[in-house]
């Protein structure tokens, strides 16, 4: 009896696998045909099942377009990968209620039901199951012979653009296609093509089927498309104005000071010298406090900081408390940290499943979700009461108030004085946007603060130039940063070497590495060389930010790297000078001969803000202005991040406050023998040669982490080894003499 059951199960599995393989073959051939019909000149003829007998990789389909700009890569590795992919997405769909099956493209025509048998690369990369599993499986795949894995493995990594940078595009062209059984995938590092796609919003849409993981509190401006997205965007955009940015400026300066106090108060530290093993947790805390206070009116406290009587408004006490109040089992801050760190688990399991799982981690995630959901409802009630009482400031930065006033959740008599929008925004939409603003408003900025401090420690001459710039620009202002006026100080600093440093950090490490879009029907694109190509329908593409940020045709560069001998340019290096138009090394004529490299010379031909009134513009009349589509840390086009001005105000304020009085160096204690807790004395007793040696080792480690060890389910972070720093008052530097 057991043998019969066992044999039946094996036969069923074999039949299922065969069915999947057949679907994969037919789907792959269909998509190659679609690529052939694109009108591009094709070099070579695909041959099915005509390998040399070496291995599966010889049963390959590779069609190279002679345009050099667009390359179609197909490989039969997808035959066995599609089976694995199917198992993963079946798991995701079954346990998370995820809309996986609904979003899969048909691979065998409209009359065939094999849709779920083959899944495109793009859907696989975006699935919430593959994201965490990739951290385990990708190292195994990379250990296989390259003949087995080239080129399909590159685009399988969820953050392949960060891993590969510009190398694949240097090999295949600035835009290339990958043919898979489930559809065509397009890698994109062309500023011209990126800008075309970003501005054609109805022809290239956001694949919102992959954003269900951020909808657990409700639909929001990130997870919607079409008219629904326009409603969210129009209402949310009302809060982002110069008066609200003044609130961000003031709170950012205050939080920078509180962060330094927290560093100095730790064991072994003082307000003069502080050793920080990992900057990110404190940067994330500061950023969370800024968005919470500036965007929601909720003051969060640093460890050891006590509430000042009368400073917390009535109704907000429970949100600022160090201890849970009422029926809550977590504080507001604890529940926020839990969800912002682990919300991806809710993309793998449904709420009902997550609640029942016996594991400690999932129990914490559920507790965090339940508490935060209650907190957000309570915060909504506080805001509604303030609006009804006429206490809400119309122009203040409160990210919930515009949503509430436009919603269908207010009393009927209140609607008489509120302009209505076509699609009502209810409580789920308000809470959904509140969560997105909290997440996007703190994690990405915290990453930028962390990486910028590390880059400044790696480039000490740049740090010294930044400090001299701050000294000169702030000399006429009060010594207390809290008295620096907005917006004049912001524009002055943002247009200076400080703005160049921030932009260079955003160019090198962008929190969100790849921005997805999907074509609605066949689409024509104009390549950099003027050639017109036709992209197949339902092509899934990514704006590859780390790649386009290193595209030599789009960026000023020198043809060597002082850090890495043998490199043909310095686009992997932290060089803020490339943003300074007066720097003759990078801008000998204040303009490049390349059509893609254009300064902002005062007209609006290359001024993004002229095309989008809400575009980022920090007064960069004397800073290099990349071509549209070349610099996309906040994406591009109508769907660019609506909080980009918020982020820049915060970055400028925090870095200016910190670097005005402090210096940052790498933590070298690991390479200093015998310091036994007396690192300061040991370092001061070193000669210049010894200092150069230990700092060189610390720098090498830091670059290894930045260039190869970052990861993350949503944004790039240090997920393994950390880069420690030494923050000290200016004048107490140990490595100040190093070049």
């Amino acid at each position: 009896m057991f043998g019969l059951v066992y044999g039946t199960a094996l036969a069923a599995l074999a039949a299922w696998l065969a069915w999947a393989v057949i679907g994969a073959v037919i789907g792959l051939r269909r998509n190659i045909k679609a690529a052939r019909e694109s009108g591009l000149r094709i070099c070579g003829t695909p041959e099915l099942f005509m390998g040399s007998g070496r291995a599966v990789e010889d049963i390959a389909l590779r069609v190279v377009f002679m345009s050099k700009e667009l390359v179609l890569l197909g490989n039969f590795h997808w035959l066995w990968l599609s089976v694995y992919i199917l198992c993963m997405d079946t798991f995701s769909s079954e346990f998370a209620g995820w809309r996986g099956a609904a979003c899969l493209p048909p691979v065998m025509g409209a009359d065939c039901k094999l849709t779920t048998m083959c899944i495109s690369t793009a859907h696989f990369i975006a699935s919430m199951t593959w994201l965490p599993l990739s951290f385990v499986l990708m190292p195994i795949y990379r250990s296989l012979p390259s003949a087995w894995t080239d080129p399909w493995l590159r685009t399988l990594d969820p953050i392949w653009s960060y891993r590969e940078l510009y190398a694949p595009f240097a090999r295949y062209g600035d835009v290339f296609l990958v043919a898979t059984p489930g559809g065509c995938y397009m890698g994109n590092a062309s500023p011209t093509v990126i800008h075309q796609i970003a501005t054609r919003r109805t022809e290239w849409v956001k694949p919102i089927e992959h954003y269900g993981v951020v909808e657990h509190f409700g639909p929001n401006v990130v997870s919607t498309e079409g008219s629904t997205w326009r409603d969210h965007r129009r209402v949310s955009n009302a809060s982002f104005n110069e008066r609200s940015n003044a609130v961000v400026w003031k709170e950012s300066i205050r939080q920078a000071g509180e962060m330094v106090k927290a560093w100095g108060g730790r064991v072994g530290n003082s307000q003069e010298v502080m050793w920080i093993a990992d900057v990110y947790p404190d940067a994330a805390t500061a950023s969370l406090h800024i968005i919470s206070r500036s965007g929601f009116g909720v003051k969060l406290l640093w460890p050891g900081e006590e509430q000042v009587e009368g400073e917390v408004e009535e109704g907000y006490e429970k949100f600022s408390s160090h201890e849970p109040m009422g029926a809550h089992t977590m504080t507001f801050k604890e529940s926020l940290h839990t969800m912002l760190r682990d919300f991806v688990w809710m993309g793998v399991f449904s709420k009902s499943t997550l609640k029942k799982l016996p594991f400690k981690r999932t129990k914490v995630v559920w507790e965090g979700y339940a508490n935060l959901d209650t907190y957000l409802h309570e915060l909504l009630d506080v805001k509604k009461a303030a609006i009804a009482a006429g206490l809400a400031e119309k122009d203040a930065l409160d990210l919930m108030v515009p949503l509430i006033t436009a919603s269908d959740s207010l009393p009927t008599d209140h609607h008489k004085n509120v302009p209505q929008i076509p699609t009502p925004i209810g409580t789920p939409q308000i809470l959904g946007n509140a969560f997105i603003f909290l997440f996007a408003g703190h994690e990405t900025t915290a990453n930028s603060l962390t990486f910028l401090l590390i880059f400044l420690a790696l480039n000490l001459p740049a740090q010294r130039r930044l400090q001299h710039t701050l000294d000169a620009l702030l000399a006429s202002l009060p010594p207390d940063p809290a008295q620096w006026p907005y917006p004049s100080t912001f524009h002055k600093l943002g247009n200076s070497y400080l703005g160049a440093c921030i932009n260079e950090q955003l160019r090198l490490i962008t929190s969100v590495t790849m921005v997805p879009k999907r074509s609605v029907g066949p689409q024509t694109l104009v390549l950099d060389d003027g050639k017109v190509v036709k992209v197949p329908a339902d092509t899934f593409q990514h704006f590859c930010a780390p790649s386009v940020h290193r595209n030599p045709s789009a960026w000023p560069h020198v043809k060597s790297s002082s850090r890495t001998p043998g490199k043909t340019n310095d686009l992997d290096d932290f060089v803020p000078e490339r943003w300074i138009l007066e720097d003759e090394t990078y801008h000998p004529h204040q303009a490049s001969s390349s059509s893609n490299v254009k300064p902002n010379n005062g007209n609006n031909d290359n001024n993004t803000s002229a095309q989008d009134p809400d575009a980022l513009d920090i007064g960069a009349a004397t800073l290099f202005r990349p071509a549209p589509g070349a610099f996309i840390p906040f994406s591009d086009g109508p769907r660019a991040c609506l909080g980009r001005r918020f982020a820049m105000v915060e970055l400028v304020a925090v870095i200016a406050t910190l670097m005005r009085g402090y210096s940052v160096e790498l933590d070298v204690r690991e390479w200093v023998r015998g310091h036994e807790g007396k690192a300061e004395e040991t370092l001061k007793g070193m000669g210049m040669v010894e200092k150069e040696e230990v700092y060189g080792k610390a720098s090498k480690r830091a670059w290894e982490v930045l260039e190869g060890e970052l990861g993350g389910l949503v944004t790039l972070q240090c997920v393994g080894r950390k880069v420690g720093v030494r923050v000290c008052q200016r004048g107490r530097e140990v490595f100040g003499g190093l070049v």
Side-chain angles (χ1 to χ4, degrees), residues 181-291:
C184 289
Y185 170 74
M186 187 169 80
N188 187 355
S190 164
T192 301
V193 177
I194 286 174
H195 192 60
Q196 289 176 64
I197 292 175
T199 53
R200 290 157 57 178
R201 191 172 54 80
T202 59
E203 298 171 0
W204 290 87
V205 299
K206 190 171 189 174
I208 58 174
E209 60 271 12
H210 299 306
Y211 287 81
V213 68
V214 296
E215 282 197 338
H216 289 290
F217 292 96
N220 52 72
V221 71
V222 170
S223 66
T224 53
E225 253 293 356
S227 60
T228 303
W229 169 79
R230 287 196 298 272
D231 293 339
H232 282 268
R233 174 83 178 203
R234 181 169 57 250
V235 175
S236 300
N237 202 47
S239 290
F240 294 93
N241 52 59
E242 281 302 272
R243 180 175 177 181
S244 62
N245 287 334
V247 179
V248 178
W249 176 262
K250 182 178 180 180
E251 186 63 22
S252 298
I253 289 174
R254 193 181 78 83
Q255 288 298 327
E258 292 296 329
M259 182 168 65
V260 172
K261 288 180 183 178
W263 287 343
R266 291 173 187 166
V267 177
N269 288 350
S270 67
Q271 290 300 318
E272 291 76 32
V273 178
M274 295 155 276
W275 299 90
I276 299 99
D278 183 12
V279 173
Y280 177 78
D282 298 307
T285 297
S287 293
L288 182 59
H289 288 193
I290 292 168
I291 181 63

Side-chain angles (χ1 to χ4, degrees), residues 382-404:
V382 172
K383 298 293 185 183
K384 287 165 65 176
I387 294 172
L391 300 177
E393 293 187 60
K394 181 179 180 182
D395 296 324
L397 176 54
D398 194 315
L399 300 175
M400 292 184 81
V401 168
L403 294 165
I404 295 171

Side-chain angles (χ1 to χ4, degrees), residues 544-678:
C544 299
S547 306
V548 73
H549 288 175
R550 290 165 174 80
N551 188 330
S553 69
W555 294 95
H557 61 277
V558 295
K559 297 185 180 301
S560 63
S561 169
S562 59
R563 182 173 62 88
T564 310
K567 280 196 173 184
T568 58
N569 60 58
D570 65 348
L571 290 173
D572 290 336
D573 301 340
F574 180 75
V575 186
E577 284 72 17
R578 79 176 80 249
W579 294 86
I580 306 298
L581 288 178
E582 290 78 7
D583 192 300
E584 294 187 359
T585 301
Y586 289 91
H587 305 277
H589 308 293
Q590 292 198 2
S592 170
S593 58
S594 168
S595 61
N596 277 338
V597 181
K598 301 176 182 178
N600 181 357
N601 55 12
N603 61 43
N604 288 331
D605 295 339
N606 191 40
N607 192 335
T608 306
S609 62
Q611 304 162 24
D612 179 1
D614 189 43
L616 175 65
D617 180 3
I618 56 174
T622 59
L623 290 186
F624 167 69
R625 172 78 63 159
F631 187 50
I632 54 172
F634 302 104
S635 191
D636 191 22
R639 290 209 68 141
C641 175
L642 57 82
R644 54 201 183 276
R645 180 79 165 195
F646 184 114
M648 289 302 294
V649 170
E650 179 179 339
L651 287 169
V652 169
V654 172
I655 295 299
T657 302
L658 183 61
M659 301 308 297
R660 172 81 183 276
Y662 292 87
S663 295
V664 58
E665 300 171 330
L666 295 176
D667 185 348
V668 300
R669 290 176 297 176
E670 180 179 341
W671 296 275
V672 178
R673 295 183 178 180
H675 66 79
E676 298 178 355
K678 299 181 179 180

Side-chain angles (χ1 to χ4, degrees), residues 207-459:
I208 58 174
E209 60 271 12
H210 299 306
Y211 287 81
V213 68
V214 296
E215 282 197 338
H216 289 290
F217 292 96
N220 52 72
V221 71
V222 170
S223 66
T224 53
E225 253 293 356
S227 60
T228 303
W229 169 79
R230 287 196 298 272
D231 293 339
H232 282 268
R233 174 83 178 203
R234 181 169 57 250
V235 175
S236 300
N237 202 47
S239 290
F240 294 93
N241 52 59
E242 281 302 272
R243 180 175 177 181
S244 62
N245 287 334
V247 179
V248 178
W249 176 262
K250 182 178 180 180
E251 186 63 22
S252 298
I253 289 174
R254 193 181 78 83
Q255 288 298 327
E258 292 296 329
M259 182 168 65
V260 172
K261 288 180 183 178
W263 287 343
R266 291 173 187 166
V267 177
N269 288 350
S270 67
Q271 290 300 318
E272 291 76 32
V273 178
M274 295 155 276
W275 299 90
I276 299 99
D278 183 12
V279 173
Y280 177 78
D282 298 307
T285 297
S287 293
L288 182 59
H289 288 193
I290 292 168
I291 181 63
S292 179
R293 179 69 165 176
S294 302
F296 297 90
V298 176
K299 180 183 178 181
L300 300 179
L301 304 175
W302 286 84
E305 183 183 5
E306 298 297 331
Q307 289 188 14
V308 178
E309 187 175 354
E311 192 174 75
V312 179
E313 298 178 19
E314 184 178 354
Y316 289 88
E317 296 86 357
K318 68 175 65 177
F319 303 103
S320 301
S321 174
H322 278 305
E323 300 294 332
M325 297 176 65
H328 290 285
T329 59
M330 285 183 172
T331 65
F332 179 60
K333 186 175 178 179
E334 287 171 343
S335 63
L336 272 174
H337 272 305
T338 301
M339 283 305 300
L340 295 174
R341 183 190 66 226
D342 295 327
F343 77 93
V344 72
W345 282 99
M346 302 195 71
V348 179
F349 303 105
S350 66
K351 295 177 186 177
S352 58
T353 302
L354 189 68
K355 185 178 181 180
K356 298 174 184 176
L357 290 175
F359 310 110
K360 181 179 179 180
R361 184 67 174 271
T362 54
K363 284 181 177 294
V364 172
V365 175
W366 173 254
E367 183 183 7
Y369 167 77
N371 274 271
L372 184 56
D373 184 63
T374 303
Y375 275 123
L376 290 178
H377 277 89
E378 292 170 342
L379 184 59
L380 175 61
D381 292 338
V382 172
K383 298 293 185 183
K384 287 165 65 176
I387 294 172
L391 300 177
E393 293 187 60
K394 181 179 180 182
D395 296 324
L397 176 54
D398 194 315
L399 300 175
M400 292 184 81
V401 168
L403 294 165
I404 295 171
T405 55
S407 74
D408 58 355
S409 59
L410 286 173
T412 305
D413 59 343
H414 186 76
H415 279 288
K416 296 177 182 179
N417 300 319
V418 177
Q420 295 299 294
I421 56 177
T423 304
I425 291 182
T427 297
Q429 289 78 10
I430 297 171
L431 301 186
N433 279 293
F435 175 74
I436 283 298
F437 293 148
L438 284 165
F439 171 74
H442 107 282
E443 181 162 308
T444 53
T445 311
N447 290 334
S448 293
L449 288 171
T450 301
F451 293 129
L452 181 51
L453 290 178
I454 294 173
F455 279 129
L456 290 173
L458 284 166
N459 191 332

